[in-house]
Amino acid sequence: MEHGDALLGPADVRELAAALGLRPTKQRGQNFVIDANTVRRIVRAAGVGENDTVVEIGPGLGSLTLALLDAAGHVTAVEIDDVLAAALPATVAARLPERVGRFSLVHADAMRVTELPGPPPGALVANLPYNVAVPVLLHMLATFPSIDRALVMVQSEVADRLAAAPGSKVYGVPSVKAAWYAEARRAGAIGRTVFWPAPNVDSGLVALTRREPPRTTAGREEVFAVVDAAFAQRRKMLRSALASWAGSPAAAEAACVAAGVSPGARGEALSVEDFARLAEHRP
């Protein structure tokens, strides 16, 4: 069922913002999507359908929310901003009245959300606020194991990092931690002109498909501690980068050898499985 006119265009977005006395703030990384074709494209790329329960983070004025509601069985939106959270249910009621029963709003900080109303979400689809994109994504994947796929719009550079493979120049902490939960790939680029205000960076889509974490006797926190240590000083060899984590350079070297990882390697070269093995051999 097409509700072309239910989606927000540039004039609708500005009108809603004006009615709310809203000026998008840098501090929350607010850039509202004003292009209906972009949100349709995101919903298509996410493969969302009638059987899906979707969680959206940072719905803003509701551009993506309406497109998701038009396609999904249920949408739960998590919004931290008081003004936006108060306004969104009215926007949904005015534009997609027959879908109101399929919509839930959680007025909260996504970083602190530990439960959601309604059926557990199977998909996460969001235009993530740039300044918190990675921690929010990791928190949601950790907290809601029912999320088996995600499609997120993030700053282009962050998209590259999330989807990077070991050995790549931009491979780092976000790449490894995302890989613990899911397989990530770039799923397209988004121009600046679809946002208001237009950001001074390009955006990209990242698609994530949940998979089993590496088989390891180490816990996730233990593995993430090695990852953080390995990348704390970029381009350092593991024997020195992991010295404080292991207790000394010699202990770091011994842990590497026991894990079958070269002490002369750098964190950029290691897969999430390598980091898991290192965590198992922490002195």
Side-chain angles (χ1 to χ4, degrees):
M1 172 165 54
E2 275 292 317
H3 297 85
D5 53 351
L7 301 184
L8 302 177
D12 302 311
V13 169
R14 289 194 173 84
E15 207 173 290
L16 274 171
L20 298 173
L22 206 76
R23 290 197 174 80
T25 73
K26 269 270 191 303
Q27 172 228 342
R28 291 233 162 112
Q30 286 169 339
N31 296 95
F32 301 119
V33 180
I34 53 174
D35 179 60
N37 287 325
T38 298
V39 292
R40 284 196 194 98
R41 181 183 151 202
I42 291 170
V43 172
R44 264 202 312 275
V48 167
E50 284 289 328
N51 299 325
D52 288 309
T53 296
V54 180
V55 59
E56 182 192 5
I57 307 295
L61 291 164
S63 307
L64 178 56
T65 315
L66 292 167
L68 286 168
L69 256 181
D70 202 19
H74 192 93
V75 175
T76 301
V78 181
E79 177 57 66
I80 189 174
D81 186 286
D82 297 347
V83 174
L84 293 170
L88 192 55
T91 303
V92 169
R95 293 188 162 255
L96 284 176
E98 71 282 18
R99 295 269 174 168
V100 166
R102 299 170 173 228
F103 175 68
S104 310
L105 176 82
V106 175
H107 179 196
D109 177 352
M111 284 298 293
R112 296 202 165 82
V113 167
T114 54
E115 51 185 14
L116 294 168
L124 164 69
V125 185
N127 166 21
L128 290 175
Y130 288 172
N131 43 358
V132 292
V134 172
V136 164
L137 175 64
L138 296 174
H139 169 76
M140 295 301 289
L141 290 170
T143 310
F144 301 101
S146 62
I147 294 173
D148 58 22
R149 66 188 196 281
L151 185 79
V152 294
M153 180 167 22
V154 294
Q155 199 172 322
S156 196
E157 176 194 337
V158 175
D160 289 339
R161 297 195 69 175
L162 283 168
S168 144
K169 266 217 284 285
V170 293
Y171 183 77
V173 173
S175 330
V176 188
K177 291 185 179 177
W180 174 272
Y181 302 102
E183 193 176 319
R185 60 177 176 82
R186 279 290 304 243
I190 303 277
R192 301 176 185 198
T193 56
V194 306
F195 296 100
W196 172 71
N200 50 10
V201 290
D202 292 313
S203 302
L205 295 174
V206 180
L208 299 106
T209 308
R210 172 111 37 192
R211 59 163 181 219
E212 287 298 309
R215 294 178 66 122
T216 174
T217 54
R220 180 181 71 219
E221 300 302 324
E222 295 171 295
V223 177
F224 283 10
V226 198
V227 175
D228 289 334
F231 289 101
Q233 301 146 305
R234 303 277 297 170
R235 316 269 173 243
K236 266 204 166 179
M237 291 183 186
L238 291 171
R239 67 163 66 85
S240 52
L242 298 182
S244 60
W245 167 81
S248 71
E253 181 141 1
C256 289
V257 171
V261 170
S262 163
R266 291 175 172 83
E268 289 82 352
L270 270 56
S271 68
V272 67
E273 290 79 11
D274 294 329
F275 282 111
R277 283 203 313 282
L278 273 170
E280 291 176 13
H281 291 96
R282 184 174 192 169

